[in-house]
Amino acid sequence: MKQQNATEIEHYLHSTEAQQKLYKRSLIVVIMSQIFGGAGLAAGITVGALLAKDMLGSASYAGLPTALFTLGSALAAFLVGRISQRFGRRYGLSFGFITGGIGALAVVLAATIDNVLLLFLALFVYGAGTSTNLQARYAGTDLASEKQRATAISIALVSTTLGAVAGPNLVTPMGKFAMTLGIPALAGPFILAAAAYLIAGLIFLIYLRPDPFLVARAIATEKDKQRLDKVNDGHQVLQSKLNRVGVVVGALVLILSHAVMVGIMTMTPVQMQNHGAQLSAVGLVIGLHIAAMYLPSLVTGILVDKIGRTFMVIASGVTLATAGVVAALAPGGSLFWLAFALILLGLGWNFGLISGTAIIIDSTDMKTRAKTQGTVDVWVALSGTAGGLLSGLIVAYSSYAILGFVGMYLALLLIPLMIWVRVKQKRS
C-alpha cells in the first residue's frame, strides 16, 4: 500500500500541471461529498432541540442535543485530524462521515423505542459528521497557493449549501415518511442524515485518490531538501513565534464566532415553537440561516484573499453582534425578524470561519497542518458544546432576548482581538 501511494505521489512532485489537475479534481470530490454532508448536518440543527424537548418534556434541556453532538464532534475532530495527518484526508474524512451516519441511525432507533440514554449516546456519535463536514473544507486547500486558500475554502463551503438548505425544508416530508414506518416524525430528518453522511464518507473513500494532503506533504518535503538555508536562526525563531500567535488568533476567531452562532441558532426553533410557529416555518428559517452560513462563501473567500484576514474578522464581529441585537429585539412570533436575525448570524459565522481558517493555514506547515487543524476544531466544537448547553439554560432562567445580548457582547470581542494582533505584528 505504501509503495503504491509513493508511486502515485511521485508523478506530482515535479509537475506543476499535474498538481493543478489534482487540485481541481480534489475540489470536485470535496464538492460532491459536501452536498451530501450538508444535508446530514441540517437534521440535528433543525429538529435536535425539538426532539429532546419532546422526549424529556422540558425546554430547559433543549440545548442538550446541540451540546452532545458538538461534544462528539470535538472528539471526532481530534481523531480525524490525527488520522488525516498520518494516513491522509481520504481515510480521516471518510471515517468521520461514516461514523456520523451510524450515529444518525442510532438517533432514529432511540426515538423509536423512546430511550433517552440511547438518544444522548447517538447524538454524541452523530456529532462526528458535524466536525467532519467542517474539516472537509481543508481538503481543498492542501494544493492551493497562499492567494488561493480562502477561495478554496469557500468553494468547499458553498457546495454544502445545496444539501444544507434542502435538509431543513425536507423536515415535513421526512417526518411523514418516518410516520409511515412507525417512527416518530421528529426522527425523520435523521433518516436523511444517516443516508447523506454515509454517502459523503463513501465518496471520499472511493474518489479522493491520490490523496491531496499526502501529495502536498511530499512536495513540501522535496522543497525542504532542495532549499538552501539562507535565513539565520533569529529569523526562524521570530517566524515560529508569529506562527504560534497566528494559530491562537485563528482559533479564537473560530471559537468565538462558532459559540455565538450555535448558541442563538439552537434556541431559535424553541422560541418559534413557543410562539406557535409550525414545523415548516422552523424549517424555512433554519434553511435560510444555513444558506447564509454557506452560500456567500465564494464572495467571502475572494474578499479574505483580496482585502485581508483582519478586515473580514472585524466584519464577522460586527455582523454577529448585529444578529444578536436583532434576535433579542425581534417579537417571538415574527417570522420575518427571526429569519433576518438568523441570516445575519449565518453570514457573520461565514466571515469568521473563512478568515479564521485562512489565518490557521497561513500559520502552519505540512508537517503539522492536519494535526493542528484537528486540534483547533476540537476547541471549536467545544465552544459549540458550551454555546448549545448554556443557551438552553440562559433562555430557561432568563429569556431569549438575554441570549441575543450575550451573543452580541461575545461577538464584539473579535474587534479588540484583531487590533491587538495588528499592534503585535507592527512591533515584531
Side-chain angles (χ1 to χ4, degrees), residues 268 271-272 275 325-339 400-401:
T268 300
Q271 170 79 346
M272 294 179 67
H275 287 80
V325 172
V326 174
L329 299 180
S334 174
L335 180 64
F336 173 82
W337 285 111
L338 287 173
Y400 180 76

Side-chain angles (χ1 to χ4, degrees), residues 47-267:
V47 300
L50 300 179
L51 181 61
K53 180 185 175 184
D54 188 53
M55 291 180 67
L56 293 169
S58 171
S60 300
Y61 301 99
L64 191 57
T66 303
L68 284 167
F69 68 68
T70 48
L71 186 61
S73 74
L75 175 60
F78 178 83
L79 294 175
V80 170
R82 292 305 190 274
I83 293 170
S84 298
Q85 184 68 51
R86 185 169 182 181
F87 302 107
R89 304 282 188 197
R90 178 180 165 227
Y91 289 109
L93 295 173
S94 60
F95 162 80
F97 272 132
I98 291 171
T99 302
I102 294 170
L105 288 174
V107 170
V108 175
L109 177 61
T112 304
I113 64 176
D114 196 24
N115 188 314
V116 175
L117 290 179
L118 178 59
L119 174 69
F120 291 166
L121 177 62
L123 286 168
F124 181 81
V125 177
Y126 166 79
T130 307
S131 65
T132 308
N133 194 73
L134 272 179
Q135 284 216 30
R137 71 193 188 277
Y138 292 120
T141 67
D142 290 325
L143 292 170
S145 67
E146 185 175 348
K147 293 183 178 180
Q148 293 176 317
R149 286 169 182 167
T151 304
I153 296 164
S154 68
I155 291 172
L157 289 177
V158 79
S159 61
T160 310
T161 307
L162 293 176
V165 173
N169 291 295
L170 291 173
V171 165
T172 301
M174 288 305 300
K176 291 178 180 177
F177 173 71
M179 291 177 70
T180 64
L181 301 176
I183 297 170
L186 288 175
F190 284 95
I191 300 174
L192 174 65
Y197 276 161
L198 291 172
I199 292 171
L202 290 174
I203 287 173
F204 274 126
L205 187 62
I206 295 170
Y207 295 108
L208 197 65
R209 58 169 71 185
D211 194 296
F213 179 80
L214 297 181
V215 172
R217 188 169 64 184
I219 292 170
T221 301
E222 185 69 17
K223 286 181 178 178
D224 286 344
K225 290 179 181 178
Q226 296 175 355
R227 186 182 294 118
L228 293 174
D229 187 12
K230 296 181 179 180
V231 295
N232 58 47
D233 291 339
H235 178 81
Q236 289 177 326
V237 171
L238 175 60
Q239 188 61 45
S240 177
K241 287 181 179 179
L242 289 174
N243 286 346
R244 286 197 295 271
V245 170
V247 170
V248 172
V249 170
L252 286 173
V253 171
L254 293 174
I255 287 167
L256 285 171
S257 58
H258 194 64
V260 172
M261 187 277 290
V262 170
I264 296 175
M265 173 204 67
T266 298
M267 295 311 298

Side-chain angles (χ1 to χ4, degrees), residues 386-412:
L389 189 58
L390 292 176
S391 65
L393 295 174
I394 290 171
V395 172
Y397 291 101
S398 56
S399 67
Y400 180 76
I402 295 298
L403 175 64
F405 286 124
V406 170
M408 177 197 72
Y409 289 124
L410 288 175
L412 290 174

Side-chain angles (χ1 to χ4, degrees), residues 329-358:
L329 299 180
S334 174
L335 180 64
F336 173 82
W337 285 111
L338 287 173
F340 182 57
L342 260 66
I343 288 171
L344 288 176
L345 190 70
L347 185 62
W349 177 86
N350 179 270
F351 292 166
L353 180 73
I354 295 179
S355 54
T357 300

